[in-house]
Amino acid sequence: MATITYDAKTNQDEILKRIALVGYDSDKFLAPMMSIIIFTVVVNMIEWQKFL
C-alpha cells in the first residue's frame, strides 16, 4: 500500500497517469507495457487471420 500526498492543484487524473507511468494500471490509465502487449496481440491476431 502507498500513501500519496498532493496539493489542491493536482487532480485525480494526474495522479493516475503518474502511477501508470511507473507500471500500475487503473480504471482510467494502463501502464505503458500493458499497452504495448495489447497492441502486439491485436496486430498478431490480424496477421494470423490472413492465413485462415
Side-chain angles (χ1 to χ4, degrees):
M1 178 177 271
T3 302
I4 301 172
T5 305
Y6 58 95
D7 59 23
K9 294 185 240 176
T10 307
N11 63 29
Q12 182 182 17
D13 284 348
E14 184 63 31
I15 294 169
L16 293 175
K17 281 182 202 176
R18 289 177 184 232
I19 291 171
L21 288 174
V22 296
Y24 296 93
D25 298 336
S26 69
D27 291 338
K28 289 188 172 186
F29 300 97
L30 294 177
M33 183 54 77
M34 183 55 73
S35 299
I36 293 168
I37 292 169
I38 291 171
F39 176 78
T40 303
V41 168
V42 170
V43 168
N44 286 334
M45 289 175 67
I46 292 169
E47 290 296 317
W48 181 74
Q49 288 177 356
K50 291 178 184 177
F51 296 106
L52 290 178

